[in-house]
């Protein structure tokens, strides 16, 4: 059997929508307008309608979107933000770029999203430490809907309300995922999306967006993304930055957005195939919680023999990934200096050792999934 590696997701998407993407891109070139024109404005309206929020502001990346969410809430030096260590480094980098201090919470071992009980413990322990030391004040929570699985928003929101904390959703991996029929991005005070090319909704370059129902926060993000200009050009009312979704990216995102739901259902179909074909193995398979519509940004299995399995697949031409091999608090740039509870982050540590992302793309063929699963079975039988 010869496994043929699938085309990269952005390339497959381009081929699937080539005529309309070429036309959209040519139209932008002919318009002569490349920054904050009609395409960005139209995409912002369409994406807000998709998520179910009043407002969407296009920005240059998902990392910028997170930073601008925090800054729109006036969070920065002297403030602390709770998030997870099992995530893309961007989540924590954005908190520090806003000038705030990250506080790390462990994840649930089955959904890999923030565990609400650990969130409570961490808040209590942090409070306790503030009695004897002067620490930044807890102001916000950033749950990450990792791999396309929504975090437990009802529990997180009730903790946030009791403690008057802002909630900013990291939706970089969860475009179209929902919980109780409500899309990720519509639960928190604000939410940040990334349109990095490999995301569930991906541009052909960098891009991101902030969504919110709060008009004041939306206005702050709009000003902050362009030098702090509010009503008058060249008059900075806030200390803003330059972070704009450009017209070429917005135009291609408008071509791809109507197909997002179908791409996500293809992902769920392939996840169902993986689930059936690997059901009787020793692997721990991903599961959607109750009332969850999983977006399967990644299909992540767990195995204590992860590295050997990965190697076996690699030799046979099947490329897998590890998201993420090193938790944030063990990365060279962050270790020894971030607040974590005394109990540590045990689920995060185990996840880093055991997770393996199998090939997942709406353009993957069912036949390819069958081949991948038969190689995995071969690997497990031989071990
Ligand atoms: C991709 C990603 C980001 C950052 O998005 P960029 O557009 O690459 O800046 C943030 N958080 C998570 C969980 C991500 O996967």
């Amino acid at each position: 059997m010869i496994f043929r590696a699938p085309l990269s997701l952005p390339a497959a998407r381009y081929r699937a929508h080539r005529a309309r993407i070429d036309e959209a891109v040519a139209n932008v070139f002919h318009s002569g307008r490349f920054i904050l024109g009609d395409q960005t404005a139209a995409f912002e309206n369409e994406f807000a309608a998709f998520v179910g929020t009043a407002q969407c502001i296009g920005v240059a990346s998902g990392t910028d979107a997170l930073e601008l969410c925090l800054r729109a809430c006036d969070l920065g030096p002297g403030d602390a933000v709770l998030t997870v260590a099992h995530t893309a480094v961007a989540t924590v980098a954005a908190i520090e770029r806003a000038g705030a201090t990250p506080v790390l919470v462990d994840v649930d071992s089955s959904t890999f999203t923030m565990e609400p009980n650990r969130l409570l413990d961490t808040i209590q322990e942090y409070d306790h430490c503030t009695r004897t030391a002067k620490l930044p004040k807890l102001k916000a929570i950033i749950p990450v809907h990792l791999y396309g699985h929504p975090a437990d928003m009802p529990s997180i929101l009730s903790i946030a309300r009791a403690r008057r904390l802002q909630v900013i959703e990291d939706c970089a991996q969860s475009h179209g995922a929902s919980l109780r029929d409500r899309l990720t991005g519509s639960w928190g005070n604000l939410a940040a999306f990334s349109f990095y090319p490999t995301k569930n909704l991906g541009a052909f370059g960098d891009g991101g967006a902030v969504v919110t129902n709060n008009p004041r926060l939306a206005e702050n993000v709009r000003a902050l993304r362009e030098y702090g200009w509010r009503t008058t050009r060249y008059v900075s009312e806030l200390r803003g930055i330059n972070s704009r979704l450009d017209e070429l990216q917005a135009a291609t995102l408008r071509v791809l957005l109507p197909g997002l739901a179908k791409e996500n259902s293809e992902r769920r179909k392939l996840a169902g195939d993986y689930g059936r074909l690997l059901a009787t193995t020793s692997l721990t398979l991903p599961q959607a919680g109750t009332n969850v519509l999983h977006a399967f940004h990644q299909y992540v299995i767990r195995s204590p023999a992860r590295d050997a399995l990965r190697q076996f697949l690699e030799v046979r031409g099947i490329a897998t990934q590890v998201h993420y091999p090193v938790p944030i608090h063990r990365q060279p740039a962050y270790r020894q200096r971030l607040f974590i509870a005394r109990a540590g982050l045990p689920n995060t540590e185990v996840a880093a050792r055991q997770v393996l992302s199998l090939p997942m793309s709406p353009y993957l063929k069912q036949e390819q999934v069958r081949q991948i699963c038969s190689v995995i079975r071969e690997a497990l039988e031989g071990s």
Side-chain angles (χ1 to χ4, degrees), residues 118-261:
R118 297 292 82 73
L119 173 62
L120 268 176
D121 298 345
T122 308
I123 292 174
Q124 269 161 20
E125 198 171 322
Y126 192 87
D127 280 351
H128 189 79
C129 292
T130 56
R131 283 189 217 146
T132 50
K134 187 159 168 36
L135 294 177
K137 287 206 166 55
L138 289 179
K139 291 286 182 60
I141 307 172
I142 303 184
V144 181
H145 306 302
L146 200 73
Y147 307 146
H149 192 293
D152 181 353
M153 293 311 292
S155 304
I156 291 168
L157 286 177
S158 83
I159 294 167
R161 260 193 296 273
R163 292 285 314 218
R164 296 176 188 282
L165 300 171
Q166 304 279 333
V167 175
I168 295 163
E169 295 171 74
D170 183 338
C171 297
Q173 303 191 2
S174 70
H175 318 65
S178 68
L179 177 60
R180 301 187 185 170
D181 292 326
R182 196 164 145 195
L183 260 73
T184 57
S186 67
W187 291 81
N189 299 85
L190 299 133
F193 284 86
S194 164
F195 304 122
Y196 183 82
T198 58
K199 306 288 183 179
N200 286 42
L201 180 62
F204 296 92
D206 276 311
V210 172
V211 298
T212 180
N213 284 317
N214 182 315
R216 184 184 58 85
L217 295 178
E219 209 184 283
N220 286 348
V221 175
R222 249 176 236 291
L224 288 167
R225 79 170 164 184
E226 198 171 40
Y227 318 120
W229 298 344
R230 230 189 245 289
T231 47
T232 318
R233 212 173 160 79
Y234 309 123
V235 177
S236 296
E237 297 183 30
L238 301 171
R239 289 171 16 163
I241 61 172
N242 165 12
S243 180
R244 300 165 300 211
L245 181 66
D246 72 67
E247 289 284 284
L248 286 168
Q249 302 308 332
T252 59
L253 287 167
R254 294 187 68 202
V255 172
L256 298 177
L257 177 59
L260 170 60

Side-chain angles (χ1 to χ4, degrees), residues 358-374:
L358 299 183
M360 171 52 80
S361 152
Y363 298 92
L364 195 66
K365 302 268 187 302
Q366 287 187 293
E367 177 51 32
Q368 291 172 310
V369 170
R370 267 194 290 278
Q371 289 179 3
I372 293 163
C373 291
S374 83

Side-chain angles (χ1 to χ4, degrees), residues 36-52:
L36 296 186
D38 297 345
Q39 293 302 313
T40 304
F43 174 73
E44 288 174 343
N45 286 331
E46 289 158 9
F47 195 66
F50 173 83
V51 177

